Amino acid sequence: MQEAIFSLIQSLLPSFIIAIISYYFFSTFMKNEEKRRRFITVRESQAKTLPTRMAAYERLVLFLERIKPASLIVRTKSNNLSKSEYEQALIAAIEHEFEHNIAQQVYVSEECWNIIRAAKNATIQKLRQVSMTDKLTTADGLRQAILNDLMDKPTPSATAISFLKAEVNDLF
């Protein structure tokens, strides 16, 4: 009886070992195939979405250029406006530009979008800061003060544009 069991184990052991080795190779093969399929899908997806993402980055750079105080002042005229009305017009122009580009956040990283918002808010804060000067009484005076204040310092937009460029470089 023992010999029969030993003989049975002896004949089944190689089959069992082959079954384990086959299972290991088959599961490894299936995992590699799944990784390959995912890679191909991601690569195809990136090829389709890259132009859209690049357009979003371009629009955000344009937004940041448009909210630079020097650009903003050139586009926003101070005709017959008081200092506070002109300040509000500048801020409204920034907010309008931001709202116009808000959908672009879908195509950029969360960190990038936070930097864009921070640049917008810092620009508004800087305009309000300059406007609080008691020496200024007219919109033209405010225009001049904003230009003078920002001549020597990098704008928040410039910092954000640098970040955008770095993020675009990381895509390639």
Side-chain angles (χ1 to χ4, degrees), residues 63 67 94-95 98 114-128 156:
F63 162 71
I67 68 166
I94 292 172
E95 292 293 348
F98 183 74
N114 288 337
I115 288 174
I116 299 290
R117 281 194 347 231
K120 175 196 77 116
N121 292 335
T123 301
I124 291 172
Q125 186 65 28
K126 193 65 176 165
L127 292 174
R128 286 186 173 146

Side-chain angles (χ1 to χ4, degrees), residues 15-46:
S15 300
F16 183 68
I17 291 173
I18 289 174
I20 290 173
I21 291 171
S22 298
Y23 174 78
Y24 171 75
F25 283 124
F26 184 72
S27 66
T28 304
F29 173 76
M30 292 305 289
K31 287 177 186 175
N32 287 338
E33 271 302 299
E34 180 63 28
K35 287 179 184 177
R36 187 182 68 77
R37 280 190 215 120
R38 279 192 192 149
F39 174 76
I40 290 170
T41 303
V42 167
R43 188 178 65 198
E44 289 173 355
S45 173
Q46 283 179 342

Side-chain angles (χ1 to χ4, degrees), residues 66 69-79 81 85-94 143:
R66 288 179 62 85
S71 300
L72 194 61
I73 287 172
V74 169
R75 285 191 332 277
T76 309
K77 304 299 179 200
S78 62
N79 302 345
L81 295 177
E85 289 172 334
Y86 188 63
E87 174 192 358
Q88 290 306 313
L90 292 172
I91 292 170
I94 292 172
R143 286 173 64 120

